Amino acid sequence: MALTQFTPIYAGRSDGETEIRSKKHGKEFNGPSNDQLDKVANPDDHYEPLDHDHPITIEWKRQLGGMLQREMRAQAEYPWFLMFFPENYRLYRHNKETRDHTDAYLYGYPQGRKKRFRSAQEFFPHFQWLMEGKTEDYGDCACKNCAGDWVHKIEPLPGRDGFVPAKKDSPAIRKDAAQVRRDIVPVKKESVQVKRENSLPTPKVVVQQRPPFQVSKPPSKASTPTNIPSTAARPPSQPVITPTPLPSPRTKEQEIDSQYGKYTYRLGELVWFNRGTAWGLSLIIKRDTVKDPQQQGARPRARYLVQPLSHPFHHPETKLMTSDDSLRPWLAWSAPGPTHKALATKTFSIVDWKAVIAGQYGPGDAEVDGSIFAAKQIDESFTLLSPLSNNTTTTGERSYSAFFLGGEKLYVGEPARLRLNAGQDIMVIHQIIEKLKPNSTNINLASVHVLGNIYRLTTIPYDPANAKSLANPHLPARMKADLEFRNSVSIPTKRTHSYWKQLQPSARLSIADLKGRWYESSILLPVLRGSSVFATDVQRGDISDVGEWINGRGDANGAAGKMGTRFRERLEAVGKAVPAGLTLGGVDDKGEGGIETPGAEIAGKIAGRTTMKDAQESGTRSTASAIGDGGLSQFMDLDRMEE
């Protein structure tokens, strides 16, 4: 397949809103209504959200990038391509049986769902106003929503200013613009430049379409054309914000997970595991580290015992995974649809699994479908762990030291990826707070927020004096170690230096604003991209961010940006997808889920095996052979789909 080369650009500011307040309904979702999104009730007339790598989304972003490049008269070797819509803008497709064509609408405009954009061309004047960042006055925007219908009755004048009213002093125009300024919410005050990492040449970027159930993997960040101003080319001139000291680890498990390079995955996390001929979904239930006697002085390597997910009436044996290469984070890929097509709109808890096993839903694999539905149920869940304080009688708040968010586990004192600014920013969490509603003790109605400092990875030309002054001693150890690796690669090859720029201290966000855990590029990219590709990137000095190569929580379910369903215990969220009586960690472990388990105990936990050698063999043998050709290996062979 021929590939088209692009120069990537990023939206530097946004006025998008996921929720608005209306006089009639109060707080409501700024997108299609629940009835419009209900595919089951309206199979012939419904809306569905489109992923960022959907062909329709790609075409919109290609058009927007091309129009902006033309309007700004920018010279570039390759056409501009918008990597992400401005924050909180989302594209939806209207599926209607009676139409012979497909309509797509962009939602997110802050005056509500009725102000959606019907095409890239209709959205472009508003997009251009956001990108140029000359003013925050909506009266200066020429789009139909901001300027009113009168703007489309004016002949377009040549030049980059777009539509210009023939008579600026027209009373009707003044009234219309004043109404817009009064009704609309303020634009978020953020950087308004097209994103540019540094002023040095970078490799050419290739943007290509991926299979629909695989994560789109954007290329390494490239510099934008040189005629666009950049604030990332030099240290910030504004006063430096003093970082907040990190809270101390509260448990032994947290202390272990805060160490760089010891464990990539955590107890209770949802992961993909290599069955041998295919990939499956599983839960980390035990782990330990072992030393290789043949490699003196080498770092002990991690091993994980995983429980494959399934339907309630059959649970496969546990598997011992002896290498990080045989595991992937849950968010590394998107799960495919069920093998039984008739189950597409159902959930794990409402499926009649006995009927599925009996063949009443046609051909398919019940074990595979059970794992897919269970993973999506876990992805929508959250569980708060280890309460630290209880002020419910005064402020109505409780604080916690850790929580499960979807498939992952996060702690106070470590970074999380954010949905803000097209996923460029992270938050180092300092508090996890549950706030009850007034006069209520129902925790299921409580809101959950995180407090912490927001950072953005920023790259500038290397200057030893600046590098020393920009060092932040209050970053988590894993972030500092990964940053040290990144700079050890970029300084000798590109003479550039990266640092974590603090954008906002003590920010308060809903857990719905979190995409998931932050991972070290130095550890996970060799696994996600392959060691040879990563080695080439290192030689060129190009170390991208892991967040560019993985999903966010809810992205695979169309539930992105939602808080989800709360469970009191982790295994309640997993439900009957694992055997009854399953525990996390060893029998002597304390805390939420255990710490480490001796290797002999792990081996002994594998059914029917008593030696570590046999246990390791079981970790690489696939159970797919019992299913037969066209079974699990066909539906879960994600490696094959990447070719």
Side-chain angles (χ1 to χ4, degrees):
M1 181 180 67
L3 302 178
T4 303
Q5 293 179 314
F6 294 96
T7 297
I9 63 172
Y10 298 80
R13 69 170 185 170
S14 177
D15 63 343
E17 296 289 344
T18 57
E19 292 182 335
I20 61 166
R21 292 188 178 275
S22 66
K23 295 180 180 179
K24 184 177 181 180
H25 302 290
K27 195 174 184 180
E28 64 180 20
F29 175 64
N30 190 14
S33 66
N34 291 335
D35 291 340
Q36 291 174 322
L37 292 170
D38 192 344
K39 182 179 179 180
V40 177
N42 306 296
D44 299 330
D45 188 1
H46 64 276
Y47 286 73
E48 66 171 328
L50 300 181
D51 291 334
H52 68 88
D53 59 345
H54 190 280
I56 295 177
T57 308
I58 290 175
E59 180 59 19
W60 272 60
K61 294 188 291 187
R62 184 193 66 80
Q63 293 183 23
L64 289 169
M67 287 187 286
L68 185 66
Q69 182 180 11
R70 184 179 64 250
E71 289 297 316
M72 299 185 75
R73 295 189 176 94
Q75 300 298 320
E77 185 177 1
Y78 298 108
W80 287 8
F81 182 88
L82 178 64
M83 297 302 292
F84 303 96
F85 289 125
E87 180 192 351
N88 294 333
Y89 278 87
R90 183 77 183 270
L91 195 64
Y92 289 81
R93 178 172 62 184
H94 188 189
N95 298 312
K96 197 166 186 178
E97 191 70 23
T98 57
R99 293 180 180 173
D100 57 0
H101 64 280
T102 299
D103 293 326
Y105 302 95
L106 188 68
Y107 289 84
Y109 188 82
Q111 279 193 331
R113 59 171 64 114
K114 292 183 178 180
K115 297 290 186 178
R116 62 188 183 181
F117 294 97
R118 300 173 180 271
S119 67
Q121 290 77 14
E122 187 175 271
F123 177 59
F124 176 71
H126 195 71
F127 173 68
Q128 181 182 6
W129 173 73
L130 288 171
M131 293 292 282
E132 290 182 340
K134 294 179 179 179
T135 173
E136 295 181 3
D137 190 343
Y138 280 84
D140 295 330
C141 176
C143 82
K144 185 175 181 179
N145 288 339
C146 290
D149 291 336
W150 57 268
V151 79
H152 294 272
K153 300 175 184 177
I154 306 296
E155 290 296 325
L157 301 180
R160 61 183 300 206
D161 289 332
F163 292 101
V164 179
K167 297 180 180 180
K168 294 186 178 180
D169 294 330
S170 167
I173 292 175
R174 286 202 307 272
K175 180 179 179 181
D176 200 352
Q179 181 69 25
V180 170
R181 286 193 293 270
R182 183 172 63 252
D183 291 347
I184 211 156
V185 299
V187 179
K188 298 171 184 176
K189 296 182 179 180
E190 302 168 353
S191 172
V192 299
Q193 282 82 15
V194 179
K195 181 174 178 58
R196 181 184 178 192
E197 289 301 321
N198 55 65
S199 59
L200 300 178
T202 54
K204 298 174 184 177
V205 175
V206 176
V207 178
Q208 71 179 99
Q209 181 181 346
R210 295 282 182 177
F213 60 80
Q214 214 173 330
V215 179
S216 176
K217 299 179 179 178
S220 303
K221 297 177 183 177
S223 60
T224 53
T226 55
N227 61 333
I228 299 178
S230 173
T231 57
R234 59 182 58 87
S237 58
Q238 65 269 25
V240 177
I241 305 173
T242 303
T244 308
L246 290 174
S248 301
R250 295 286 181 166
T251 64
K252 182 64 176 177
E253 183 183 11
Q254 181 180 356
E255 181 183 344
I256 290 173
D257 283 331
S258 68
Q259 299 175 27
Y260 175 81
K262 185 163 188 177
Y263 288 118
T264 302
Y265 306 102
R266 299 167 178 179
L267 291 166
E269 287 195 326
L270 173 65
V271 295
W272 296 91
F273 76 105
N274 192 339
R275 293 177 177 265
T277 60
W279 289 83
L281 289 158
S282 65
L283 201 71
I284 301 285
I285 60 173
K286 300 185 189 300
R287 64 184 183 179
D288 73 350
T289 57
V290 292
K291 292 184 177 180
D292 189 340
Q294 298 179 354
Q295 296 183 3
Q296 297 296 328
R299 180 193 297 268
R301 75 173 188 274
R303 302 183 303 178
Y304 303 89
L305 190 68
V306 302
Q307 172 61 57
L309 304 182
S310 183
H311 59 78
F313 300 103
H314 170 71
H315 299 103
E317 294 180 353
T318 55
K319 302 294 177 183
L320 182 64
M321 316 309 292
T322 60
S323 169
D324 276 6
D325 289 337
S326 58
L327 295 169
R328 297 289 188 278
W330 154 244
L331 297 176
W333 291 313
S334 297
T339 64
H340 295 86
K341 304 304 180 185
L343 301 179
T345 60
K346 297 185 180 295
T347 61
F348 185 91
S349 59
I350 66 173
V351 170
D352 185 348
W353 291 107
K354 289 185 177 180
V356 173
I357 296 169
Q360 297 180 22
Y361 285 86
D365 191 292
E367 181 181 324
V368 173
D369 290 352
S371 68
I372 293 171
F373 282 114
K376 292 183 177 181
Q377 174 178 288
I378 295 169
D379 190 46
E380 296 176 1
S381 73
F382 71 95
T383 299
L384 304 182
L385 305 168
S386 298
L388 300 176
S389 64
N390 188 343
N391 298 319
T392 53
T393 58
T394 55
T395 64
E397 294 183 348
R398 293 190 185 98
S399 62
Y400 296 80
S401 67
F403 66 121
F404 281 105
L405 185 68
E408 301 175 320
K409 185 175 186 179
L410 296 92
Y411 299 96
V412 165
E414 73 167 1
R417 297 182 295 129
L418 304 181
R419 296 193 175 277
L420 310 179
N421 300 319
Q424 301 174 59
D425 300 341
I426 67 168
M427 170 186 277
V428 175
I429 300 173
H430 287 265
Q431 285 185 278
I432 303 166
I433 296 177
E434 167 198 48
K435 187 172 180 62
L436 299 174
K437 285 193 172 184
N439 302 319
S440 173
T441 58
N442 188 345
I443 62 171
N444 293 319
L445 300 178
S447 61
V448 181
H449 294 81
V450 287
L451 272 66
N453 299 346
I454 296 179
Y455 292 89
R456 178 178 298 172
L457 187 67
T458 305
T459 302
I460 59 176
Y462 176 61
D463 181 339
N466 285 337
K468 186 176 182 180
S469 65
L470 293 171
N472 182 352
H474 298 303
L475 289 176
R478 292 171 44 233
M479 290 178 65
K480 289 191 287 188
D482 190 66
L483 188 63
E484 182 178 347
F485 168 82
R486 183 186 295 272
N487 286 327
S488 72
V489 170
S490 66
I491 291 175
T493 57
K494 289 190 165 186
R495 303 303 295 172
T496 60
H497 170 262
S498 298
Y499 71 101
W500 286 103
K501 177 182 178 182
Q502 183 168 282
L503 303 180
Q504 183 178 352
S506 304
R508 183 184 180 103
L509 298 174
S510 167
I511 61 171
D513 295 320
L514 305 184
K515 297 185 75 172
R517 278 179 58 191
W518 174 87
Y519 295 91
E520 301 93 322
S521 295
S522 53
I523 290 177
L524 200 55
L525 282 186
V527 176
L528 296 179
R529 305 203 64 204
S531 57
S532 60
V533 175
F534 182 72
T536 301
D537 291 342
V538 169
Q539 291 176 356
R540 291 196 306 236
D542 290 325
I543 305 299
S544 57
D545 188 78
V546 171
E548 297 179 359
W549 302 88
I550 61 178
N551 282 322
R553 174 186 178 238
D555 289 350
N557 308 332
K562 297 181 180 179
M563 193 164 76
T565 304
R566 179 171 179 173
F567 291 86
R568 288 182 178 272
E569 303 290 342
R570 177 57 166 177
L571 292 177
E572 288 182 12
V574 181
K576 296 182 179 180
V578 297
L582 184 76
T583 59
L584 302 177
V587 295
D588 297 327
D589 293 334
K590 297 179 180 180
E592 66 273 2
I595 303 169
E596 294 181 299
T597 305
E601 185 180 342
I602 286 185
K605 288 293 183 180
I606 299 181
R609 302 185 184 274
T610 57
T611 67
M612 182 59 69
K613 180 180 178 182
D614 290 338
Q616 291 171 342
E617 290 176 2
S618 76
T620 58
R621 177 156 49 247
S622 170
T623 59
S625 58
I627 299 172
D629 294 338
L632 184 143
S633 60
Q634 175 182 347
F635 292 103
M636 304 294 274
D637 189 356
L638 299 177
D639 277 352
R640 174 173 58 81
M641 297 305 299
E642 291 186 27
E643 297 177 359

